[in-house]
Amino acid sequence: MELPFALIKPCILFFFILGNITFLRVRAKTSNDLISDVCKRTTTPRLCLQILKSNGRARKASSPPELGEVSMDLSKSNAKATKNMILFSSLRTRDKGLKERYKSCAVNYDSALYYINIANQYFKGGDYASVGRYTAAALNEPIACRHNFARAEPAWLREGNDKLECLCSVVLVISDHLSGRHCSFPAG
């Protein structure tokens, strides 16, 4: 009788490990599917995929609210970093016209951060319609900054503006979904 019991332990352990590996693969597939489903609804799907798939927290997100929270955090950190680069560049230039454009962009990024912070509070409270309104306001700020430079926007600033626009677009897609207004994602 001891022989069968001795065989049962390794079998149970084997199936337990196999089940966990399968669960992790399904979860990863679901997270990748969620990122793909959200990104195809944004204004820049390729950039969206690049940003979200390169972020560990985004890759682990298994629901729209989780991905929305990550996207809100990424928007905020991107806006802060871009604003800091704008301020640094403003201090380094002697060109008065360029200083004014940087100053205007810094104001745009202050406004974007303000709107993102308010949107984040509404997100935490579950008021997704308000999240959409404030995120849309934040989205207008890098666009306004871009207009300050016409077509002579420095590459680093273009990249910061593009990322913030993209991340705001992600939050808009998710807030529309969570408020029941537009898109729905396939069941995972």
Side-chain angles (χ1 to χ4, degrees):
M1 285 281 224
E2 288 203 30
L3 185 58
F5 183 70
L7 290 175
I8 292 174
K9 279 184 179 178
C11 287
I12 290 173
L13 183 61
F14 173 75
F15 286 115
F16 176 75
I17 292 171
L18 183 65
N20 281 335
I21 290 171
T22 303
F23 171 76
L24 291 174
R25 284 185 183 161
V26 168
R27 181 179 166 97
K29 183 180 185 318
T30 303
S31 298
N32 284 331
D33 289 347
L34 177 61
I35 289 172
S36 295
D37 290 338
V38 168
C39 286
K40 52 181 155 178
R41 291 172 171 82
T42 65
T43 55
T44 51
R46 204 165 62 194
L47 180 59
C48 175
L49 286 169
Q50 178 188 347
I51 293 169
L52 295 182
K53 287 192 174 188
S54 69
N55 182 275
R57 282 182 58 215
R59 282 192 317 269
K60 291 177 185 173
S62 61
S63 68
E66 285 179 39
L67 189 58
E69 183 179 335
V70 171
S71 300
M72 294 287 287
D73 292 346
L74 290 171
S75 332
K76 191 175 188 177
S77 63
N78 175 76
K80 283 180 181 178
T82 304
K83 180 188 168 200
N84 288 338
M85 280 297 296
I86 291 167
L87 294 173
F88 179 74
S89 297
S90 174
L91 293 173
R92 292 193 56 191
T93 188
R94 293 180 184 208
D95 182 325
K96 288 187 183 208
L98 190 54
K99 262 192 193 298
E100 283 304 310
R101 287 190 293 247
Y102 282 138
K103 182 179 175 184
S104 182
C105 280
V107 170
N108 292 130
Y109 271 81
D110 275 337
S111 297
L113 283 164
Y114 171 78
Y115 294 131
I116 290 167
N117 284 328
I118 293 173
N120 197 26
Q121 292 304 311
Y122 281 118
F123 193 88
K124 289 176 182 175
D127 182 352
Y128 301 114
S130 294
V131 171
R133 280 193 298 280
Y134 282 96
T135 302
L139 174 63
N140 287 329
E141 299 303 331
I143 294 169
C145 174
R146 177 169 280 135
H147 289 296
N148 289 326
F149 283 89
R151 295 188 185 264
E153 180 182 31
W156 61 266
L157 183 55
R158 181 175 43 253
E159 182 181 330
N161 285 337
D162 288 346
K163 282 184 178 179
L164 185 56
E165 287 177 43
C166 177
L167 290 164
C168 286
S169 179
V170 170
V171 174
L172 285 171
V173 167
I174 292 171
S175 65
D176 282 352
H177 167 71
L178 293 173
S179 68
R181 288 200 321 228
H182 291 290
C183 60
S184 63
F185 306 120

